[in-house]
Amino acid sequence: VTVDGLLTPRQTLFAAVTTTLAMLFIIDLVRRRRLAEEYSWLWLLTGAAMILLVASDRLLLALGALIGAATPIITLLIFAVLFLFAIAVHYSLIISRLSEQVKALAQELAIMSTRGEAGRDRGSAS
Amino acid sequence: VAAPAVKPLVVIPAYNEAARIGRVLAGVRAADPSLAILVVDDGSRDDTAAVARRAGARVARLPFNNGAGVAAQTGYKYALREGYGCVVQLDADGQHEPADIPLLLAVVARGEADVAIGSRFMGAARYRPSRPRRAGMAIFRVLTYLLTGSRLSDVTSGFRALGADVVRFFATEWYPRDYADADVLITARRAGFTIREVAVRMYPRTGGRSMHAGLTPVYYVFKMLLSVALTPLRRGAAVRKGR
């Protein structure tokens, strides 16, 4: 393994700092209850995986060889994109479920609104 | 036409149709005064609900705009809860002739088919949509034929009668939120329901805003192609009829 095959110190520093800051930001959002715990785990998992990749030259090289990436920074980038893809799909699923629930609630409310109306009609008629 | 043994509910999804829905409701009353009518107000910003109520219809008001599919499905769910045996659905904008309701109802009530579609292209029905619209209709007509083997002349018609089993089938979660015509017909056909077309009268819109204005036809075609393309990939729906 040549030195060219590793992340440069500058790359390592930048990747470690940005990943750590991003994780701290997510944790702070969860701490202040702005982000629900159940929706934060995938972010934290992603952050942890990125830190692992940055910290371990061997892992990064092995993964790079596996996917045929030219340099470790490409490996890092590709995995970052994959993680973001997973997070985006995760949120799409959550949004789909939420909108299904909102739809069902709105329909319930609409159906109940006819009942209230019928009750008023009966009340006024008697 | 013999009096149907099942209790029918007329479902009219409406979005900002205060100016036109009064005439539609009067037309339904004129067609058959005994018909129960439910107007589903899809979060209109005008007086649609008040106008409909004044005209004697029951009104289910959605708290915000959800899309035509959700509004229609609200009517199906209501029909199930209140024990109606079938549903006739027509548009609130006056494009569908209420006098033709008994024709559609008769097909379902006599058990000739599970779904009766009002077709603007059959028999004496005279209606000429614009050229791009005709092209779009032709695409979905062909796709429906390819996927179901049914030769239907008007797969994008929103004027239809549904038997109780179909109403139950349409009241489940798969039912689309926005546009629900060719795709739900294909799904229903593939689930084993029978479909029959009936010649009805349809008219061009008299003012107001069509569901298909601006860029929405592009979205409509894309969304409908997607929905239609997905129907053969879904197996679950095919077993639901027996329930």
Side-chain angles (χ1 to χ4, degrees), chain B residues 3-53:
Chain B
V6 288
K7 196 167 59 147
L9 175 70
V10 180
V11 170
I12 308 178
Y15 179 55
N16 293 339
E17 297 289 3
R20 286 161 293 276
I21 196 163
R23 206 171 334 137
V24 175
L25 292 170
V28 177
R29 286 254 182 274
D32 182 350
S34 71
L35 285 171
I37 307 172
L38 178 74
V39 171
V40 182
D41 177 10
D42 192 7
S44 298
R45 281 158 299 166
D46 66 3
D47 290 336
T48 298
V51 172
R53 224 170 259 143

Side-chain angles (χ1 to χ4, degrees), chain A residues 4-106:
Chain A
D4 292 350
L6 299 174
L7 289 177
T8 64
R10 189 180 290 259
Q11 287 171 341
T12 305
L13 183 68
F14 177 75
V17 167
T18 49
T19 310
T20 307
L21 284 179
M23 292 245 324
L24 288 175
F25 177 60
I26 295 288
I27 290 169
D28 188 54
L29 285 177
V30 177
R31 185 187 65 80
R32 289 188 286 128
R33 300 189 196 284
R34 294 265 306 277
L35 175 58
E37 286 168 23
E38 47 270 39
Y39 297 146
S40 68
W41 63 269
L42 199 48
W43 283 114
L44 296 175
L45 191 70
T46 298
M50 292 302 288
I51 285 179
L52 197 67
L53 285 181
V54 173
S56 166
D57 288 337
R58 282 176 57 193
L59 182 60
L60 198 58
L61 285 173
L63 283 174
L66 187 70
I67 63 171
T71 64
I73 199 76
I74 295 285
T75 312
L76 212 52
L77 187 70
I78 285 174
F79 275 89
V81 169
L82 284 178
F83 287 133
L84 287 177
F85 174 77
I87 288 172
V89 171
H90 181 225
Y91 283 116
S92 302
L93 292 174
I94 290 170
I95 289 170
S96 296
R97 196 186 63 210
L98 281 176
S99 56
E100 186 59 41
Q101 290 168 338
V102 168
K103 181 196 91 171
L105 273 177

